[in-house]
Amino acid sequence: MIVNILLATALLAAPPEAEAPSSPSSVEEQRADIVKKGLTFLRDKGQDADGAISPRVGSGVTSLAITAGLRNGLKLNDPLVTRGLKYLESKIQTDGGIYASDRLRNYETCVAIMALAEANRVAGDGRYDTALKNAERFVRGLQIGAGDGIDKADPHFGGVGYSGKERPDLSNTAFLIEALHAVDTPSNDVALQRALLFVSRCQNLEGEGNDTQFADKVNDGGFYYVIPTEKIDPSTSERYTPNGGLRSYGSMTYAGFKSLVYSGLTKDDPRAKAALKWISQHYSVSKNPGQGRAGLFYYYNTLGSALKASGLDVITTPDGEQTWRTDLVQQLAKSQRPDGSWVNENRQWFENDPRLCTAFALLSLAHAKGESK
């Protein structure tokens, strides 16, 4: 992809040769080993008889696990995949959405699109073409500004929430962008360009793209979760800076950066440069910068997917040059439990569920596949 090449070659100068903590072959072997253990956990201990994984929180974890399995080399006849796809097929609704929970219908349909698109790729026979076409039409219709009379001046224009047109957030909007990308939507598509406007308004960056009251209050190039429209008191929430700005944090900055790439921004766009500068200054695989351990495994997935999408192999940080694939693999190897799962002791966003954390970890490891040259 041209955008990936441009970002990879221009946003960072080519790094000098540096000693790696492990040889590429040993890191890849380590990655393959922990992937195998994680997949075994999901297959043998994480999946219900009907194919669902953590159905108490809807169908999303099942979709994430199927996508992770397929991207890590599982075939369609693997029991984890076969049972999971059967479960997802049972959640295809008459409106075209693929969801178990009406309040999560956008999020669940977007991650289901990713799973079915991956299954289509592996099968090579277009077996899910109709389901994907209907699901794509469904999520497009949920986007704010899609045929509902909302003007571009509205700060929520282009965004989407968990179920659709309620308060939008960057996470759900990024999932919409990724779902459209999964079905080969061109970057100049109208839905992606609407989403780009919302994503840009979630960036702490003064200038083109962000016309909200928050644009210049932090101005560090990072991203935040939601755009408040109500009057705020900065003392009431740690989300705010003393001057009423919104704090940037890691998982949203990687989600925002990836969304910029998928929306067609070039190496010269100030939004891409500012986002990468924030990433370089706050790079970590031990914490979600700005959130600590909250949402840590979701963070790993956004980090891996964003850096893979951009084509970047090495991140230049204040501590030197970091090979993110190696760092991510070794961090996940250290934190994997004996049964092959991962879990977060921080309970926010359901990450006390080992099935969810394991699905995110395996997705992260799929992004890290293939050691940097």
Side-chain angles (χ1 to χ4, degrees), residues 165-180:
K165 295 181 184 289
E166 79 280 15
R167 184 211 66 187
D169 61 75
L170 179 54
S171 179
N172 277 287
T173 305
F175 275 122
L176 171 65
I177 291 171
E178 189 162 9
L180 294 177

Side-chain angles (χ1 to χ4, degrees), residues 70-287:
L70 291 171
R71 288 180 180 174
N72 278 297
L74 293 188
K75 304 300 182 185
L76 293 179
N77 61 358
D78 185 281
L80 175 66
V81 177
T82 300
R83 295 192 301 245
L85 287 172
K86 184 177 180 181
Y87 172 76
L88 283 188
E89 290 167 9
S90 74
K91 300 305 173 186
I92 297 176
Q93 308 295 329
T94 56
D95 58 14
I98 307 172
Y99 55 89
S101 171
D102 188 65
R103 67 183 182 85
L104 299 173
R105 55 185 184 158
N106 171 68
Y107 160 69
E108 291 186 2
T109 302
C110 285
V111 292
I113 287 173
M114 293 160 56
L116 297 188
E118 201 65 33
N120 249 10
R121 182 190 63 78
V122 173
D125 58 10
R127 64 183 61 184
Y128 290 113
D129 282 355
T130 298
L132 285 167
K133 181 179 180 181
N134 292 337
E136 180 186 351
R137 182 173 63 248
F138 176 75
V139 294
R140 284 176 176 272
L142 297 178
Q143 187 182 32
I144 296 172
D148 54 14
I150 301 297
D151 186 82
K152 288 183 178 181
D154 190 302
H156 288 170
F157 180 88
V160 65
Y162 276 103
S163 68
K165 295 181 184 289
E166 79 280 15
R167 184 211 66 187
D169 61 75
L170 179 54
S171 179
N172 277 287
T173 305
F175 275 122
L176 171 65
I177 291 171
E178 189 162 9
L180 294 177
H181 179 77
V183 293
D184 299 322
T185 304
S187 60
N188 62 354
D189 176 83
V190 63
L192 286 178
Q193 291 306 304
R194 278 196 296 257
L196 175 60
L197 184 54
F198 177 79
V199 170
S200 298
R201 285 168 166 161
C202 292
Q203 186 173 21
N204 274 315
L205 187 66
E206 185 179 13
E208 182 183 359
N210 192 343
D211 56 3
T212 72
Q213 62 175 306
F214 307 102
D216 62 349
K217 293 184 182 299
V218 176
N219 205 33
D220 62 2
F223 287 77
Y224 43 82
Y225 179 60
V226 295
I227 305 170
T229 54
E230 71 281 2
K231 186 176 180 180
I232 62 170
D233 177 356
S235 67
T236 62
S237 172
E238 62 182 13
R239 288 192 304 152
Y240 299 108
T241 59
N243 69 343
L246 289 157
R247 299 185 190 278
S248 303
Y249 61 97
S251 50
M252 286 301 95
T253 298
Y254 282 105
F257 181 51
K258 175 180 61 178
S259 298
L260 300 181
V261 174
Y262 285 163
S263 300
L265 295 196
T266 70
K267 68 183 189 317
D268 298 317
D269 194 281
R271 289 165 286 186
K273 289 181 177 180
L276 186 59
K277 182 179 179 181
W278 192 96
I279 288 168
S280 299
Q281 292 174 339
H282 298 85
Y283 175 80
S284 175
V285 294
S286 63
K287 63 182 179 180

